[in-house]
Amino acid sequence: MRIVFTDLDGTLLDHETYRYSAACPALKALRRRDIPLILVSSKTRAELEPLAQQLELSHPLIPENGSAVFIPLDYFPTKLLGPEWQQRGRYRVLTLGQPYDQIRAALAQIKTALANTPVRGFGDWSVAEVAAATGLSPDEAARARQREYSEPFTCEAQPDLLRGVVAAVSGSRQSAGLSRVPLSLQRGGRFWCLTGPADKGQAVSILLSCYRRQYGPVTSLGLGDGPNDLPLLQSVDQAVVIPGQRLQELWDQRQSHWSLAPAPGPEGWNEAVLSWLEHAPLSLSLNSAEAGA
C-alpha cells in the first residue's frame, strides 16, 4: 500500500493564492490509484474539511500541526483503534495536544512576560483582521479562528528571547489549574504557533501504524516546505522538500531519504508526486531548485 502525507500552504497550496490547480494531474493520478492523500497542516479541522471535500478526499485529517488525528467512522475497524480514540461526531479522534483554552492561557502569560513587546493571537483578532493578515476570504478566516488546540500569533521579540519565555512558561506553575502545561513553539510561513507537546511527525507515525495493522506493508511519501514540517519529513519513507521562503533552514537538516522538488508550491508538488508514482527519484541539488524557483 502507498500513502501520501502533505503539508498545505506553500506545498500543495500556493503560498499567496491558496490555489492547487497546478497539482491537479497528480491529484487525479492518486485518485485513479486509490492512494490515500492525508492533509497534515497548521490549519484547523474547520479549514481542512471543505478542502478535503473539494479534493474528493475521504481520508483521515491531521490539523493544527499534529495536535490530533481525525479518522472518519468506519474507516478502520473499531477493534483496530484503542479506547484512547474518542468518538466525536463523524470521527474517531486521538488528541495529542492541549485544549485551546489552555494554550490561550499560556499565551496570556507570555504576553505578561513580554510586556514591552506586542503579542497578538488569532483569538485577539476579528475575522476581518485575520483575513487581512492572511489573504483569506472572510469565510475562510472565520474557519481559521475555529481553533481547538493551537494559537498562531505575531510577536516582534527576538526568536531566542521568545523561545526562552515560552520554555519558562511551559515549566512554571500555571494559574487556574494549569499546572506545568507542556508547550511547543513552531514557526510557520506567516506566524509563530503555540501548541501543546505534539508535532506532525508524531501524528503521521501513529496513523501509519494504523494503516500497517490494517493493510500490512506501507510505503509513504511526505511533502513539506518549512521547518515545522521537519517531523513529518522524518517520519516517512521518502520525503520531498518544496522550495519556499525558508528552504535553506529546512534543507540544512536534510536526510538521505529526502529530495528537492524542481519548483515551489503546487507546481513542484505535482512533479514530485508524479515522479514518485512512476518510481523516478528526484535528484536535484539545492542550487538547481533555487534557480527553478
Side-chain angles (χ1 to χ4, degrees), residues 5-7 40 200-201 204 222-224 229-236:
F5 296 88
T6 185
D7 175 52
V40 187
K200 293 182 177 182
V204 165
L223 304 101
D229 296 315
L230 176 60
L232 160 62
L233 301 177
Q234 292 173 328
S235 302
V236 293

Side-chain angles (χ1 to χ4, degrees), residues 1-193:
M1 183 178 190
R2 306 176 85 183
I3 305 175
V4 177
F5 296 88
T6 185
D7 175 52
L8 291 178
D9 294 354
T11 302
L12 174 56
L13 305 181
D14 183 88
H15 181 75
E16 298 298 332
T17 67
Y18 301 105
R19 295 175 181 170
Y20 59 82
S21 54
C24 283
L27 290 168
K28 291 177 181 177
L30 292 174
R31 285 197 296 270
R32 285 196 304 270
R33 292 167 171 82
D34 292 324
I35 295 175
L37 174 62
I38 311 299
L39 307 182
V40 187
S41 176
S42 61
K43 292 182 181 294
T44 64
R45 174 167 59 100
E47 292 176 278
L48 295 185
E49 288 175 330
L51 178 60
Q53 187 173 13
Q54 291 177 34
L55 296 173
E56 302 179 37
L57 303 177
S58 56
H59 303 294
L61 303 173
I62 300 178
E64 300 192 48
N65 282 321
S67 293
V69 181
F70 286 78
I71 296 179
L73 293 177
D74 301 326
Y75 191 87
F76 292 122
T78 302
K79 64 181 181 181
L80 185 139
L81 304 177
E84 66 274 18
W85 292 83
Q86 301 296 310
Q87 183 170 342
R88 190 188 308 173
R90 56 193 178 94
Y91 298 101
R92 295 197 182 277
V93 183
L94 180 65
T95 299
L96 302 170
Q98 296 287 345
Y100 183 61
D101 60 347
Q102 295 190 17
I103 298 298
R104 284 287 297 173
L107 186 64
Q109 290 196 324
I110 293 168
K111 290 181 184 180
T112 299
L114 294 171
N116 297 321
T117 303
V119 177
R120 299 191 71 212
F122 273 29
D124 302 310
W125 293 353
S126 67
V127 169
E129 288 175 310
V130 172
T134 60
L136 296 170
S137 71
D139 286 345
E140 292 167 337
R143 289 193 288 269
R145 293 185 75 251
Q146 294 179 37
R147 313 206 68 81
E148 298 174 275
Y149 311 101
S150 65
E151 181 73 329
F153 67 96
T154 57
C155 179
E156 298 174 2
Q158 292 295 317
D160 288 345
L161 173 60
L162 177 59
R163 291 188 181 98
V165 169
V166 170
V169 170
S170 181
S172 69
R173 300 294 295 183
Q174 306 286 328
S175 61
L178 306 179
S179 176
R180 294 189 180 277
V181 175
L183 301 173
S184 176
L185 181 66
Q186 302 181 45
R187 194 169 190 174
R190 291 180 173 85
F191 308 103
W192 290 97
C193 190

